[in-house]
Amino acid sequence: MSTLELNNLWTYIQGLGLVESDRDWLAGKLLEPIEKDEKTERQKAYVRESLTRALKEVDAAKRGEKKLQSIEEFEKELEMEGIL
């Protein structure tokens, strides 16, 4: 949005006569995408980390150095991390 559009939006919002609870709700809505983005970034970082670890574990398993994690164990791990 351009500065002019943002100023018009602000003027419109000020003209609504919002009570404090309405302002709190609006502020929450404006901040919501940021919170979702942060969660998405945490999820992406976890996936990258997990895939890197998984590839190393597969290599180790091929060499007979390690037993691979079961899908059930992996699901429990995701639940503990709050991903699922």
Side-chain angles (χ1 to χ4, degrees):
M1 291 182 99
S2 70
T3 303
L4 179 62
E5 290 170 321
L6 289 171
N7 284 331
N8 287 338
L9 176 60
W10 180 242
T11 302
Y12 172 75
I13 290 171
Q14 287 177 318
L16 292 175
L18 301 174
V19 295
E20 187 175 344
S21 62
D22 294 335
R23 288 175 185 249
D24 289 342
W25 177 86
L26 180 58
K29 288 297 181 182
L30 290 171
L31 294 175
E32 195 172 83
I34 294 170
E35 293 170 2
K36 287 181 182 177
D37 289 345
E38 289 172 1
K39 182 178 181 182
T40 300
E41 287 305 313
R42 284 195 320 268
Q43 289 172 331
K44 286 179 183 178
Y46 180 79
V47 169
R48 279 191 300 271
E49 182 182 301
S50 296
L51 289 174
T52 300
R53 188 183 72 220
L55 289 172
K56 289 178 182 177
E57 289 178 2
V58 167
D59 287 341
K62 285 179 181 177
R63 293 188 304 269
E65 299 170 1
K66 185 171 186 161
K67 182 182 172 199
L68 291 178
Q69 183 181 39
S70 72
I71 190 69
E72 290 82 13
E73 292 169 330
F74 183 66
E75 286 176 344
K76 285 180 186 175
E77 183 181 326
L78 290 176
E79 288 173 356
M80 288 175 41
E81 292 288 334
I83 305 296
L84 288 182

